[in-house]
Amino acid sequence: MRIMIVGAGMVGRHLCEKLSGEGQEVVLVDSDEKKLRRLERELNVMPVHGTGASPKVLEKAGIERTELFIAVTDSDEINLIACIISRQYKVKTRIARVRNKDFYAHGTSGVEETLGIDLVISPDLAMSEEILRLTTLSQAVEVAEFGHGQVDMLGYVAKEEHPCVGSTLADLRDLQDLYHFLVVAITRGEKTIIPRGNDKVEPGDKLYLVARRPDVPAVEHLLFASTSRLPRKVFIIGGGPIGAMVARQMEQLNIDVSLLEQDPAVCETLAEQLDDTVVLNSDGLEANDLLEEDIDQVDLVIAVTNSDTTNILSSLLAKHHGAKKCITLISNPGFVPMLGKLGIDVPLSPRQVAANMILRYVRHGGGRIVSVASLLGGEAEVVEMKVPDQDQFVDLPLKHLTFPHGSIVGAIIRGHQTIIPTGETMLAPDDNLIIFFTSDAEQGVESLFDK
Amino acid sequence: MNAIKKAEQAVIIPELAAITRKEVLQELAAAAVKQRPELELERLYAILEDREELGSTGLGDGVAIPHGKVPELNEMILVFGRSTNGVPFAAQDGRPIHLFFLLLAPAASSTPYLGRLAELARFLRDPQVRARLLQAENREELMSILQGEDQGDHE
């Protein structure tokens, strides 16, 4: 499939990396020639210099033969115009990144329908949705959903006091009769492993597991001695669009929200817009401000100012004074690897979140193998793979398929049903297998159903 | 394979009097309290009930494993109870439960609680074991099956 991406910023770059890595033909259009040359060297993409808002440039880039068109420059107008121009050609799917929230005033469907764009995506909106999703799961630090949201992949950090620490993976697997979950990957330090029976859970491990949503509370109770519940008291640092959106949604969930913003004028506007949120004029970096507001009673700190440094420092300060968990906005991907060691629980990058949302949309219902997610750090991938409609796979127990070392089936989607499988689970035609694997197992996974 | 390690304190109730879910949990908890008088029945029952609210511990095939962590304990305790007539327990297959294994563990994370639960689940996966537990005529016979001393110990 030929894919055209307009905009070589962070979102565009992430999309190029993923889609060209999957063997797609990717054309990248940007007006910054230097940036293009750099990406051309690093990634397998065809660069075209020029603005995406010009029919000439798009024609030069081969818009006639393009199936998927994604406009993700920093300018809303260029993205929208580029999408509108692309309507003259036989492009199948159009996606635009739009930041200005006026476009969302009456829901997203309006813009999408009027302008003929299939998906309009706002990084801020995507980010606040992601934060809310994480908030409803008390201990998970990462969440991804598959199969229309019937099944979640959840990431947890195992701590010394958790019951799961010291258990073997074989034991955890045998608990499947009692608890429907499957540990699919463990990140230990910089390494991601697909665990085998004898591997043991160690403190500090990041455990990725798959579970059906209704079973999550029981599983969390068992493995981490706690149940998912909403946080009671939340601190939001930064009164920008993300902070305001999250505060409003949390008010509706009856969560006690305090919002810290350093600009007095913004504080006044927010105080008018929000009903129950306590708006405070502070930059989040004054220990006294935090202590006065009983930071030690706070279940969750969400640091979403537009400065990474402020977000990191205010999160660490709040945790130092007793806040239980933090979600921290990080724009600079270079910071991410060190954050776990510092004690930042959940680093989130708005561009990464937006790019992942686009990938989810693009990949859904594609060919036989569709990639659905990559685990943080990118050392393990998750794909959705359809079981071919061939006799030899009907009623075949899962354990009779030859899975390469370093891969595991986390869930089976069968119509509206989701199954957390064991080796005995029988395949049916058109089942979708959700498979986790590390990079060395990639080839074996791709040829799983080849004879 | 066995369900009961010799050193572990285990209680066997060859025939439960309970006929409802609540009564079963109370009868099993009461048996645990009898063994360990420092435990408090109401509190124990509340822990078990809280767990059941998250989802039934009935595995199906007539087996349930109610379980929980109890801070007052310093070692694990197992109570086995049998109901010939079966008790409705919201099991995954909707069938009544005949074999109940109550496992209580100390709160300390050092206890191999999950390992023990997994062992129980493995033990009960064998249909022969389940059938023999149902047919056993007395406490001694039950004990020997649970300890894996009987024939049919394939492991």
Side-chain angles (χ1 to χ4, degrees):
Chain A
M1 179 165 67
R2 192 184 175 92
I3 301 170
M4 191 175 298
I5 297 172
V6 178
M10 299 254 277
V11 179
R13 185 200 163 89
H14 187 71
L15 291 172
C16 284
E17 213 171 83
K18 291 289 161 194
L19 294 169
S20 71
E22 283 165 29
Q24 311 282 10
E25 190 191 341
V26 180
V27 183
L28 180 62
V29 179
D30 198 284
S31 48
D32 183 341
E33 195 159 9
K34 257 209 217 131
K35 225 190 236 170
L36 275 180
R37 295 292 158 238
R38 203 171 54 235
L39 282 181
E40 186 191 9
R41 275 196 301 275
E42 290 171 26
L43 303 168
N44 182 22
V45 295
M46 187 186 126
V48 173
H49 179 229
T51 169
S54 146
K56 240 189 208 158
V57 172
L58 294 184
E59 273 183 26
K60 193 173 103 195
I63 185 90
E64 294 96 342
R65 288 172 292 124
T66 297
E67 280 183 56
L68 172 61
F69 186 83
I70 306 174
V72 285
T73 72
D74 279 334
S75 152
D76 288 357
E77 288 75 14
I78 290 184
N79 295 340
L80 290 173
I81 291 170
C83 275
I84 293 167
I85 295 172
S86 77
R87 288 177 67 180
Q88 300 170 36
Y89 306 92
K90 279 176 272 172
V91 174
K92 271 198 203 134
T93 310
R94 292 173 191 81
I95 297 174
R97 164 172 153 189
V98 176
R99 182 169 287 141
N100 188 339
K101 68 174 189 300
D102 291 350
F103 288 107
Y104 301 94
H106 305 288
T108 52
S109 65
V111 201
E112 284 165 350
E113 264 169 45
T114 338
L115 300 182
I117 298 171
D118 298 282
L119 177 69
V120 173
I121 194 152
S122 143
D124 289 347
L125 195 65
M127 183 75 179
S128 43
E129 277 171 11
E130 183 77 5
I131 291 174
L132 282 162
R133 217 143 57 91
L134 284 165
T135 305
T136 49
L137 298 153
S138 68
Q139 295 205 26
V141 295
E142 215 176 319
V143 192
E145 49 174 56
F146 308 119
H148 308 290
Q150 300 169 63
V151 56
D152 280 319
M153 180 199 76
L154 304 143
Y156 298 90
V157 177
K159 303 207 175 107
E160 197 91 50
E161 67 273 17
H162 288 159
C164 63
V165 168
S167 299
T168 65
L169 268 291
D171 279 345
L172 295 184
R173 200 156 47 222
D174 284 329
L175 287 170
Q176 268 191 352
D177 297 344
L178 203 50
Y179 290 90
H180 304 285
F181 74 99
L182 188 60
V183 177
V184 289
I186 289 178
T187 308
R188 188 170 291 164
E190 310 262 296
K191 248 185 97 191
T192 301
I193 53 173
I194 303 290
R196 315 261 285 185
N198 293 331
D199 289 323
K200 274 190 181 166
V201 179
E202 294 174 11
D205 280 358
K206 190 155 168 195
L207 238 63
Y208 289 93
L209 57 91
V210 170
R212 282 179 302 195
R213 197 157 293 171
D215 299 328
V216 169
V219 171
E220 285 198 342
H221 184 70
L222 176 79
L223 300 179
F224 309 103
S226 89
T227 48
S228 287
R229 57 166 179 79
L230 291 176
R232 271 186 298 261
K233 193 171 161 71
V234 170
F235 255 55
I236 300 174
I237 298 167
I242 298 173
M245 270 189 269
V246 171
R248 199 166 302 127
Q249 304 246 30
M250 289 197 163
E251 282 183 347
Q252 278 164 19
L253 295 169
N254 290 324
I255 296 170
D256 177 359
V257 185
S258 303
L259 199 164
L260 281 62
E261 163 60 44
Q262 60 171 345
D263 183 338
V266 175
C267 281
E268 261 178 52
T269 322
L270 286 172
E272 276 169 32
Q273 287 173 357
L274 297 166
D275 301 325
D276 305 321
T277 300
V278 180
V279 181
L280 300 162
N281 185 215
S282 161
D283 62 0
L285 296 174
E286 293 296 330
N288 280 339
D289 288 359
L290 296 177
L291 288 168
E292 259 173 43
E293 296 301 320
D294 299 328
I295 190 73
D296 55 320
Q297 310 285 317
V298 166
D299 298 307
L300 175 67
V301 172
I302 302 168
V304 287
T305 72
N306 48 25
S307 149
D308 280 4
T309 328
T310 305
N311 293 339
I312 293 172
L313 289 175
S314 59
S315 296
L316 293 177
L317 188 65
K319 282 200 77 177
H320 175 75
H321 287 296
K324 289 187 192 68
K325 179 177 161 181
C326 61
I327 295 179
T328 311
L329 184 150
I330 306 287
S331 296
N332 181 346
F335 287 163
V336 172
M338 68 169 189
L339 295 172
K341 279 177 216 138
L342 278 179
I344 298 282
D345 302 310
V346 188
L348 278 185
S349 142
R351 292 186 178 90
Q352 181 114 26
V353 168
N356 284 339
M357 198 176 256
I358 293 174
L359 287 173
R360 267 208 298 277
Y361 183 85
V362 170
R363 285 158 168 172
H364 199 81
R368 206 184 72 196
I369 307 177
V370 274
S371 175
V372 275
S374 53
L375 304 191
L376 206 71
E379 280 210 40
E381 284 278 327
V382 193
V383 295
E384 196 173 324
M385 200 167 178
K386 200 182 263 307
V387 176
D389 190 0
Q390 287 165 17
D391 286 348
Q392 76 256 42
F393 300 122
V394 177
D395 291 342
L396 183 75
L398 197 55
K399 64 179 178 197
H400 290 171
L401 275 179
T402 340
F403 283 95
H405 186 75
S407 66
I408 187 171
V409 175
I412 298 177
I413 315 255
R414 184 173 296 164
H416 292 295
Q417 212 192 343
T418 305
I419 301 156
I420 306 294
T422 68
E424 310 299 328
T425 307
M426 310 257 219
L427 295 177
D430 290 336
D431 275 359
N432 271 315
L433 307 185
I434 305 281
I435 305 174
F436 291 72
F437 60 93
T438 50
S439 40
D440 33 323
E442 188 164 353
Q443 280 202 324
V445 170
E446 279 168 7
S447 56
L448 196 54
F449 293 112
D450 301 346
K451 274 182 283 180
Chain B
M1 202 172 335
N2 56 22
I4 296 177
K5 292 208 176 89
K6 292 218 174 89
E8 199 171 52
Q9 316 204 28
V11 187
I12 291 178
I13 309 171
E15 191 59 65
L16 290 162
I19 53 166
T20 67
R21 192 186 69 116
K22 191 177 167 188
E23 285 171 9
V24 170
L25 291 179
Q26 277 179 335
E27 193 173 349
L28 294 169
V33 174
K34 204 169 162 197
Q35 187 82 4
R36 305 292 298 271
E38 70 270 29
L39 298 177
E40 204 185 303
L41 180 60
E42 273 314 303
R43 191 169 141 60
L44 209 50
Y45 172 71
I47 291 173
L48 296 174
E49 191 63 67
D50 280 351
R51 172 58 192 83
E52 295 300 324
E53 265 174 32
L54 293 174
S56 171
T57 57
L59 308 187
D61 292 323
V63 177
I65 311 181
H67 54 278
K69 287 206 157 205
V70 185
E72 292 81 6
L73 275 177
N74 46 30
E75 59 186 325
M76 284 195 272
I77 176 166
L78 182 75
V79 180
F80 168 70
R82 183 173 65 167
S83 164
T84 313
N85 289 329
V87 177
F89 208 72
Q92 289 159 25
D93 59 4
R95 283 156 54 193
I97 301 295
H98 298 280
L99 306 171
F100 290 92
F101 288 80
L102 171 71
L103 181 69
L104 301 173
S109 60
S110 52
T111 29
Y113 172 52
L114 298 191
R116 204 67 191 81
L117 269 178
E119 233 169 67
L120 267 178
R122 273 196 289 268
F123 177 72
L124 292 165
R125 215 174 267 168
D126 182 351
Q128 283 189 25
V129 165
R130 298 197 299 265
R132 281 164 47 220
L133 284 170
L134 275 176
Q135 286 152 13
E137 281 175 13
N138 51 44
R139 185 184 301 265
E140 289 66 38
E141 207 179 316
L142 284 168
M143 182 57 101
S144 89
I145 299 168
L146 293 174
Q147 289 181 336
E149 281 168 354
D150 217 328
Q151 79 283 7
D153 187 3
H154 304 296
E155 292 292 308

